[in-house]
Amino acid sequence: MDIEQRQSELIDHFVKRASAVSDAAALASVLVEATSHPSLFAFSEILALPNLLQLEATENSAFLDMLRLFAHGTWSDYKSNADRLPQLIPDQILKLKQLTVLTLAETYKVLPYDQLMQELDVANVRELEDFLINECMYAGIVRGKLDQLRRCFEVQFAAGRDLRPDQLGNMIHTLSNWLSTSESLLVSIQEKIKWADSMSEIDKKHRKDVEEKVEEVKKSIFKKLHTVSRPTSTSEAMRRSALNLVE
């Protein structure tokens, strides 16, 4: 099963569970389970559920902020706001560090080891490379090359994270530009196809004209050869007649 299908199934599972819960404490427990799941990396659908609003202004409101952190934040964001958020369990810490790698991989195609070690609180290169291989690449959320000589991770693929509300406008603008560029490219391709078809017709007509001229030349040469050969035959006949008279 590919990662996209697995994500979709997990999202549906937790959306249904969270939607069916009315108690704030039970809902907070579902959110902890969702953010701890080793294969779930998208949370916007859960975050959009109307019944999550019941967590606002309650003793469990921090769990809603925690879910927002997992949807859009990083490990550094958690450290900066740890006093206002629930204490994370080891599985959540691992998940948030994986999401941090995703955020960096979406922004940069070459990630220096020093930057990654600082963002992830990793002590050395060996620990960092083990994390990238075992927890990120094996999980299917990123693909890339570890360059020990240059001390960097070259990103080849990164799974997308949930869009922040302020990213939607930029995304629409980017897609609009892409659509405009694609339409212009399509028009250019169509014009080139028409030009190629036109040149093909011209080439066919030229070939036909050449073939017709070749046939005309052949006929003309054949006619001239036939005309030249006829007097020779007549002279030979007259010569033979003269010889007969002499005899």
Side-chain angles (χ1 to χ4, degrees), residues 95-211:
K95 172 63 63 61
L96 193 53
K97 288 186 176 183
Q98 290 173 311
L99 293 170
T100 299
V101 172
L102 279 185
T103 296
L104 293 171
E106 285 179 342
T107 308
Y108 308 102
K109 294 307 177 186
V110 177
L111 304 178
Y113 279 0
D114 291 339
Q115 180 186 9
L116 287 169
M117 286 190 290
Q118 181 180 356
E119 292 287 342
L120 301 173
D121 279 341
V122 174
N124 54 65
V125 170
R126 175 61 182 274
E127 185 180 349
L128 173 64
E129 290 183 337
D130 286 346
F131 179 82
L132 292 173
I133 294 171
N134 298 325
E135 309 300 345
C136 296
M137 286 194 276
Y138 282 173
I141 59 175
V142 295
R143 289 195 300 270
K145 177 184 176 182
L146 300 174
D147 191 330
Q148 294 181 331
L149 183 62
R150 295 171 57 206
R151 288 174 57 87
C152 66
F153 176 57
E154 298 178 2
V155 180
Q156 298 171 346
F157 162 81
R161 287 197 67 181
D162 295 306
L163 284 177
R164 295 189 302 271
D166 60 348
Q167 288 181 300
L168 186 57
N170 290 334
M171 181 66 70
I172 293 173
H173 178 70
T174 300
L175 291 175
S176 297
N177 288 340
W178 176 82
L179 180 60
S180 177
T181 301
S182 299
E183 289 176 345
S184 298
L185 181 61
L186 181 59
V187 170
S188 176
I189 292 173
Q190 290 174 337
E191 290 177 351
K192 288 185 178 182
I193 291 174
K194 290 180 181 179
W195 177 83
D197 289 342
S198 174
M199 293 302 296
S200 177
E201 291 299 323
I202 292 173
D203 182 65
K204 288 179 182 179
K205 184 177 184 304
H206 177 69
R207 183 177 300 177
K208 183 179 179 181
D209 291 343
V210 170
E211 290 175 351

Side-chain angles (χ1 to χ4, degrees), residues 55-66 68 84-86:
L55 295 179
E56 294 281 13
T58 70
E59 60 181 6
N60 294 303
S61 62
F63 288 93
L64 182 55
D65 293 331
M66 179 197 71
R68 294 191 181 106
R84 293 180 291 167
L85 293 167

Side-chain angles (χ1 to χ4, degrees), residues 24 27-29 31-32 35 47 52-70 78 81-88 92:
L27 183 56
S29 178
L31 298 185
V32 170
T35 53
L47 191 59
L52 285 183
L53 295 177
Q54 66 179 296
L55 295 179
E56 294 281 13
T58 70
E59 60 181 6
N60 294 303
S61 62
F63 288 93
L64 182 55
D65 293 331
M66 179 197 71
L67 183 62
R68 294 191 181 106
L69 174 71
F70 277 82
Y78 173 73
N81 300 277
D83 58 332
R84 293 180 291 167
L85 293 167
Q87 184 175 357
L88 301 184
Q92 287 177 305

Side-chain angles (χ1 to χ4, degrees), residues 108 145-146 215 218 221 226 242:
Y108 308 102
K145 177 184 176 182
L146 300 174
E215 288 299 319
K218 286 181 178 179
I221 292 174
H226 183 68

